[in-house]
Amino acid sequence: MSESFDYDLFVIGAGSGGVRAARMAASKGKKVAVAEERYLGGTCVNVGCVPKKLFVYASQFPESFHASAGFGWTVPQAPTFDWPTLRDNKTAEIVRLNGIYNSLIDNSGADLFDGRATIAGPQLVSVNGQTYRTRSILVATGGWPYIPEFPGSELAISSNEMFFLDELPEKAVVVGGGYIAVEFAGILNGLGVETHLVYRGPHLLKSFDRQMSDKIQQGMIDKGVHIHLNTEISQIVQADGGLSVGLDNQADMTAGLVLYATGRVANTANLGLETTNVALANNGAIVVDEHFATAEPSIYALGDVIDRIQLTPVAIQEAMVLVDHLFGEAVAEIDYKGIPTAVFCQPELGTVGLSEEQARAEYEDIDVYVSDFKPMMQTLGGGSDRITMKLIVDSATDRVVGCHMVGEHAAEVIQGMGIALKAGATKAHFDATVGIHPSAAEEFVTMRDKSR
Ligand code: NDP
């Protein structure tokens, strides 16, 4: 490194992507700094994937208590739920993970700055009153919840606040039809809150396979979530007993909490980007090329701030590609096709590859296999859940191009299916695979009759 630089790489933002890039660059002997103003681990660890999944687990216990009776268990008294215990145990676990992130950065040899960093020029970063010269800058500042402005919108909260509520309300309104809205609707409902999901469109989870999102919608209704489609909120006002929510097509509703889960925007405000040539898209996301280079040759960006696919494992993969291109062999590439994903709504969705609608548009002829059945647990445990599995096959090549599951453990099952699809598995490969019995997953290798 030339003497005139303090660092080879200065990473702004210690979320999933930033930390991975910093650690990998440091492991290659580079002089690396990471600055974080809020919390180590970013959205995923602090106000996203990790605490959300803990809340999902918590919200599933009532069904398990109920099912246990059919298996011979008697619970001596009706179980009760204590929100502060869950919230505070969750927070303690997140503090533990923050410590692990701290050690990971320390042990990698990178310098960690606890403060807000801003860009002061193409190769200058200021933090805690000092300005550092750096050969390259990585902007990995993530995203932030977006709440549209309307009368009373300041009374709504975002997913950030959901993790620290003083108390759970008796009734909640959740707005949106994407990942966060359906996940929190399931959590609140499971924890005993009367939950109303308000969505402006006609179908929840609109970017997913329609048959699967319809199953989820019905599953959520069966579990007690009140779903209001084609409905918009006109205003929120403070009222006796909570917040009065004005709806465009029905009577106002009073609720203790209104959660807006209406997307996330790139965190680029007041970062000093105007001192550089970095270009922003209309939605504020940083524009980068296939190797995460911005229009400013010394500045790179990845993760939610580039708004390609807002998923932790994607940011991590992007970080590995970037570091390989900056300091390694420059061979790693990222394939945004066939990324498996799960929505931890209840029932759960796991999916990889194309939806039926996308496959029909892309291929001349497809075969669709669908299986819908009761989970075995229900034979004695009761309950309303079903499992739906779906394979979409390109008729010309026999390749499986889409694989979807709604039901318990869908995320766990679909991760493995992701490998099969990545490897180019055909329906014949699925058919030649021996099932694991008794499991729900075996259905994926025993579907013989085309549904369409
Ligand atoms: P999404 O983009 O998934 O959904 C946003 C929802 O808000 C859409 O239904 C959208 O409606 C609606 N919406 C947008 N603007 C308005 C508005 N002005 N008024 C009313 N409704 C509006 O965003 P999320 O916030 O749910 O999640 C952000 C991202 O975080 C996800 O895309 C995902 O990548 C990631 N994430 C991943 C998770 C996982 O992996 N399990 C979990 C949680 C988040 P419309 O469709 O009509 O535009």
Side-chain angles (χ1 to χ4, degrees), residues 34 99 113 239 280 409:
V34 194
F113 291 96
L280 301 184
H409 312 305

Side-chain angles (χ1 to χ4, degrees), residues 52 148 177-180 183 199-200 206 261-264 310-311 342:
K52 178 274 308 286
Y179 277 84
I180 297 180
E183 290 185 344
Y199 175 49
R200 65 183 177 183
K206 73 171 184 192
T262 41
R264 297 175 57 86
Q310 297 180 18
L311 296 175

Side-chain angles (χ1 to χ4, degrees), residues 291-442:
H291 298 130
F292 310 103
T294 69
E296 180 68 60
S298 56
I299 302 187
Y300 301 82
L302 52 72
D304 287 1
V305 79
I306 63 170
D307 193 26
R308 280 191 180 156
I309 298 184
Q310 297 180 18
L311 296 175
T312 292
V314 173
I316 290 173
Q317 195 106 359
E318 289 173 345
M320 299 201 280
V321 171
L322 171 71
V323 173
D324 183 56
H325 278 263
L326 282 179
F327 307 123
E329 317 267 295
V331 290
E333 299 291 336
I334 181 162
D335 180 5
Y336 290 102
K337 280 209 248 118
I339 291 175
T341 185
V343 187
F344 295 98
C345 45
Q346 299 172 47
E348 187 170 300
L349 171 69
T351 174
V352 58
L354 304 179
S355 66
E356 182 174 344
E357 295 74 27
Q358 289 167 328
R360 286 204 188 286
E362 196 160 312
Y363 294 97
E364 206 152 290
D365 219 348
I366 59 169
D367 298 324
V368 179
Y369 298 80
V370 182
S371 178
D372 181 89
F373 55 98
K374 266 191 189 178
M376 192 173 169
M377 172 88 170
Q378 263 188 34
T379 52
L380 303 190
S384 61
D385 276 352
R386 297 191 68 80
I387 294 179
T388 308
M389 291 175 167
K390 179 166 180 175
L391 284 179
I392 298 161
V393 179
D394 169 26
S395 316
T397 61
D398 197 40
R399 265 186 73 161
V400 179
V401 296
C403 180
H404 311 275
M405 174 172 173
V406 170
E408 57 187 29
H409 312 305
E412 306 293 345
V413 173
I414 291 295
Q415 180 67 82
M417 295 299 151
I419 305 171
L421 264 66
K422 183 69 68 198
T426 60
K427 180 66 169 63
H429 287 123
F430 274 66
D431 293 346
T433 303
V434 175
I436 295 176
H437 187 72
S439 71
E442 69 180 316

Side-chain angles (χ1 to χ4, degrees), residues 285-297:
I286 296 181
V287 179
V288 293
D289 69 10
E290 70 274 25
H291 298 130
F292 310 103
T294 69
E296 180 68 60

Side-chain angles (χ1 to χ4, degrees), residues 53-74:
K53 187 85 187 265
L54 295 176
F55 283 5
V56 170
Y57 285 134
S59 67
Q60 289 172 334
F61 279 96
E63 287 188 354
S64 301
F65 294 138
H66 186 262
S68 70
F71 291 90
W73 290 93
T74 304

Side-chain angles (χ1 to χ4, degrees), residues 244-260:
S244 172
V245 182
L247 301 166
D248 66 342
N249 59 5
Q250 54 187 285
D252 295 359
M253 227 188 279
T254 304
L257 169 162
V258 181
L259 163 64
Y260 261 71

